[in-house]
Amino acid sequence: MTMTSQDTEAARTLRGLEDDRSSVRLRAALAAGTTPDPRFVDKLIDRSALEPEFLVRDMLTWALTRHPVSLTLPGLLHEVRSERAQARSQALHTLSKIGDRRAWPALTRALLSDADDEVARSAWRAAVVLVPEGEEPGLAAILAEQLGRGERETQRSLSRALAALGDVILPALRAAAAAPGERVRAHALATERLLRDPDADFACAIEEAKRVVALGCTGDEGG
């Protein structure tokens, strides 16, 4: 059977995605998105689970968004249940970029509280994009259970995700602000600050919240 030029290019792209050189993999991912082909989808998803370079992973995600959702969604939904943390994280990231709400049922409580911080952060970002209208308060309550978790970057990600949901998060935040743990209370107060002022610096907001908690002044201050 004679290969067409299209077949030859597709074969070159698929080989490139496996190359030892990150620059070649990056070009291959770009080619896969520039000229979408159903033959690329499985390889793009598989490579996303393994790719060590951030720029290449980002290009893999872009390439997947260029393909029909009917082709990408099944594989991505399978990946969010993978035992490999990077596979879960990248699939969630890609789902957030695709933005198809049919993926919403995959955003389980287990993923939203995943032990791996990168997975959890990806799940939080995906959830606020995919949440159906009317289900925001329930999502806010689940996300608020993670307040106080992790280091500064993880806390910032959670606060940004919560703030993106809008005022529906206030009951959950105020309940958390009255919780026993100082870390949780400070994170809740900092998140409310971000809700009121999206341009606020999170590092400053969390330090200010820690001072407020230390002074015992965590009540509603007129918000």
Side-chain angles (χ1 to χ4, degrees), residues 100-150:
D100 192 301
R101 284 182 170 171
R102 287 176 293 179
W104 167 247
L107 272 293
T108 61
R109 184 183 292 268
L111 277 176
L112 294 168
S113 60
D114 197 284
D116 186 283
D117 284 346
E118 284 300 317
V119 176
R121 289 169 60 189
S122 294
W124 301 337
R125 290 190 293 265
V128 299
V129 171
L130 300 173
V131 61
E133 186 175 354
E135 296 198 33
E136 295 90 348
L139 175 59
I142 293 172
L143 294 183
E145 294 173 2
Q146 301 298 306
L147 287 166
R149 169 182 174 163

Side-chain angles (χ1 to χ4, degrees), residues 3 12-13 15 20 41 46 77-78 84 90 92 95 97 100 106 113 118 128 132 137 149 152 167 180 197 201:
M3 290 184 68
R12 181 180 293 117
T13 296
R15 286 197 304 273
D20 290 339
V41 172
D46 290 346
L77 293 179
H78 180 268
R84 184 187 290 270
Q90 283 301 120
L92 289 163
L95 287 170
K97 295 300 183 181
D100 192 301
S113 60
E118 284 300 317
V128 299
R149 169 182 174 163
R152 184 67 52 83
D167 288 346
D197 180 8
D201 180 76

Side-chain angles (χ1 to χ4, degrees), residues 45-217:
I45 292 174
D46 290 346
R47 188 66 217 172
S48 295
L50 304 170
E51 175 56 51
E53 298 293 334
F54 171 78
L55 287 177
V56 180
R57 292 198 303 271
D58 211 38
M59 191 66 77
L60 292 167
T61 286
W62 173 78
L64 283 165
T65 67
R66 296 273 294 159
H67 287 77
V69 177
S70 60
L71 298 179
T72 58
L73 193 59
L76 292 170
L77 293 179
H78 180 268
E79 287 292 278
V80 301
R81 301 190 296 273
S82 172
E83 293 184 2
R84 184 187 290 270
Q86 183 172 307
R88 300 196 301 278
S89 177
Q90 283 301 120
L92 289 163
H93 174 65
T94 303
L95 287 170
S96 74
K97 295 300 183 181
I98 292 172
D100 192 301
R101 284 182 170 171
R102 287 176 293 179
W104 167 247
L107 272 293
T108 61
R109 184 183 292 268
L111 277 176
L112 294 168
S113 60
D114 197 284
D116 186 283
D117 284 346
E118 284 300 317
V119 176
R121 289 169 60 189
S122 294
W124 301 337
R125 290 190 293 265
V128 299
V129 171
L130 300 173
V131 61
E133 186 175 354
E135 296 198 33
E136 295 90 348
L139 175 59
I142 293 172
L143 294 183
E145 294 173 2
Q146 301 298 306
L147 287 166
R149 169 182 174 163
E151 300 302 322
R152 184 67 52 83
E153 194 60 35
T154 297
Q155 293 190 2
R156 179 187 289 111
S157 291
L158 180 59
S159 291
R160 294 293 183 193
L162 279 163
L165 294 174
D167 288 346
V168 298
I169 70 173
L170 287 172
L173 288 185
R174 288 172 179 171
E182 291 188 1
R183 188 178 175 90
V184 173
R185 297 206 305 273
H187 195 183
L189 291 174
T191 302
E192 186 167 351
R193 167 74 186 280
L194 286 186
L195 177 64
R196 293 170 172 167
D197 180 8
D199 295 324
D201 180 76
F202 181 78
C204 294
I206 197 73
E207 291 305 319
E208 178 184 346
K210 287 178 180 177
R211 289 192 292 271
V212 170
V213 168
L215 293 170
C217 306

